Amino acid sequence: MSAPMGDGIGIANLPNQRHKIVAKRGAHFTIMVVGESGLGKTTLINTLFSTELSPSKSYHKRHTKLLDKLTEVEIIKAELEEKAFKVKLTVIDTPGFGDYVNNRDSWSPIVDFIDDQHEAYMRQEQQPQRHEKTDLRVHACLYFIRPTGHTLKPLDIEIMKRLGTRVNLIPVVAKADTLTQNDLFVFKQRVREVIAAQGIRIYTPPVDASAEEEAEHAKMLIEAIPFSIIGSTEDVKTPDGRITKGREYLWGVAEVENENHCDFKKLRQLLIRTHMLDLISTTEENHYENYRQQQMETRKFGEPKVKKLDNPKFREEEEQLRKKFTDQVKAEEARFRQWEQHLIAERDRLNKDLEMAHSAIKQLEVELDNLGAGGYGGTGSRGQRR
Ligand SMILES: Nc1nc2c(ncn2[C@@H]2O[C@H](COP(=O)(O)OP(=O)(O)OP(=O)(O)O)[C@@H](O)[C@H]2O)c(=O)[nH]1
Ligand SMILES: [Mg+2]
């Protein structure tokens, strides 16, 4: 029993059907960028817009949204259209978190934001009238990795683990132009190893063995993960006379769209051309469905979600714990300082003793020499005189 082919029904045509449904509705596609401060998140968004989305066809609208007292995200909207296939593209630019140990609070609003969009969508679905939902569920989350040349930091691992279970996580190596080709190759390899060893969930393009060309393309994309990125909106002139987006150096030009320099083109292809539908449907079928089921298990229908950090009791507890910890550290520090003072005093005392012993020895030696010069002879006689 083979599935009917060619008439638009059947498993073989599933991606096609999905395409049609999404095309009819007009897709909402939301990308989010996350990572430490200064890694080029905003620059990459601007690069995407300046290379792909021509201003005549798309409109930009930037507005900011406050997540909590400290965190503000910027939301950029544009409309893409390709062969009657309309996409409302939204890019969410988050402020980078600092490079500190205790910066947990600076990224938890980002994780909360993702959950909140699932929550908002779920609540709208529960309304009797379900048309025209506002939908900011994140379909692709680009996580920026600092190009250290070493490996992922513990903070990266912690955040990526949390993101990976909530969204389609796409790791990218920032500022690829700051590493040599060889260092970049080794670095990407190490990042892949850590991702696997730590069980971090990342988005992997599906490989459909029945469609050879697509499968090859997917494999090529998978091999490029984590995508290395060069961001720039500047037009520069290459040594061979081309004008292109890139970054100019004494040694030449790092080109954004040159596949020998970075994976920007592959990433853009994945996001805007080949895997947008897969990113949308996996968000719907896996991530949103996970969220919905989890919430259904832990609360009654229609009951509001309890946010851990919003709960005054938790906040108070956290504050108390933090204070206790800080006090303990302070006390320990004072104790160490005292101990150090004591050691220094002890060392000085010993030094002084040593000096005194030295001068006493010197004195004795002088006396001995004097005695020797007085005619009582060599070492043998010294022993006898004692
Ligand atoms: N070498 C190099 N520099 C880059 C690249 N992308 C951005 N930069 C530079 O890095 C600096 C920070 O870039 P942003 O785009 O503001 O970084 P961000 O991640 O948005 O920073 P926050 O908003 O503070 O989190 C700027 O001076 C950029 O010109 C890149 O690919 N390579
Ligand atoms: Mg920025």
Side-chain angles (χ1 to χ4, degrees), residues 189-306:
Q189 178 71 34
R190 281 210 200 108
V191 170
R192 273 197 294 271
E193 281 165 13
V194 176
I195 285 173
Q198 294 285 337
I200 296 169
R201 284 180 56 184
I202 57 170
Y203 174 71
T204 313
V207 180
D208 176 5
S210 67
E212 203 177 318
E213 209 177 311
E214 274 175 46
E216 283 309 308
H217 174 69
K219 276 186 205 153
M220 184 265 292
L221 291 175
I222 292 169
E223 274 165 24
I225 294 172
F227 299 101
S228 60
I229 295 297
I230 298 170
S232 171
T233 51
E234 303 279 315
D235 283 318
V236 293
K237 195 168 179 181
T238 61
D240 57 357
R242 287 171 295 124
I243 303 288
T244 183
K245 296 271 181 282
R247 304 185 82 90
E248 218 162 9
Y249 289 99
L250 285 174
W251 48 261
V253 168
E255 297 173 34
V256 170
E257 297 183 87
N258 185 330
E259 298 209 49
N260 292 323
H261 294 189
C262 74
D263 306 317
F264 173 82
K265 255 177 119 168
K266 292 195 182 88
L267 176 66
R268 184 181 62 191
Q269 209 169 26
L270 178 146
L271 290 175
I272 313 271
R273 305 241 164 77
T274 52
H275 287 79
M276 188 188 273
L277 286 176
D278 190 58
L279 287 160
I280 293 174
S281 56
T282 47
T283 298
E284 180 87 32
E285 286 154 22
N286 304 343
H287 298 299
Y288 173 66
E289 201 45 38
N290 270 350
Y291 180 84
R292 205 181 61 80
Q293 272 176 21
Q294 247 175 30
Q295 296 303 314
M296 290 296 172
E297 277 164 19
T298 54
R299 60 196 236 225
K300 295 193 196 80
F301 180 81
E303 196 175 68
K305 172 184 164 206
V306 180

Side-chain angles (χ1 to χ4, degrees), residues 9 17 42 58 82 91 131 243 270 276 284 352 354 372:
I9 333 167
Q17 288 179 350
T42 305
S58 63
E82 203 172 301
V91 184
H131 55 267
I243 303 288
L270 178 146
M276 188 188 273
E284 180 87 32
K352 213 161 254 154
L354 204 63

Side-chain angles (χ1 to χ4, degrees), residues 37-43 95-96 175 177-178 229-231 247 249:
S37 190
L39 289 186
K41 297 183 292 297
T42 305
T43 309
K175 303 187 180 181
D177 53 319
T178 62
I229 295 297
I230 298 170
R247 304 185 82 90
Y249 289 99

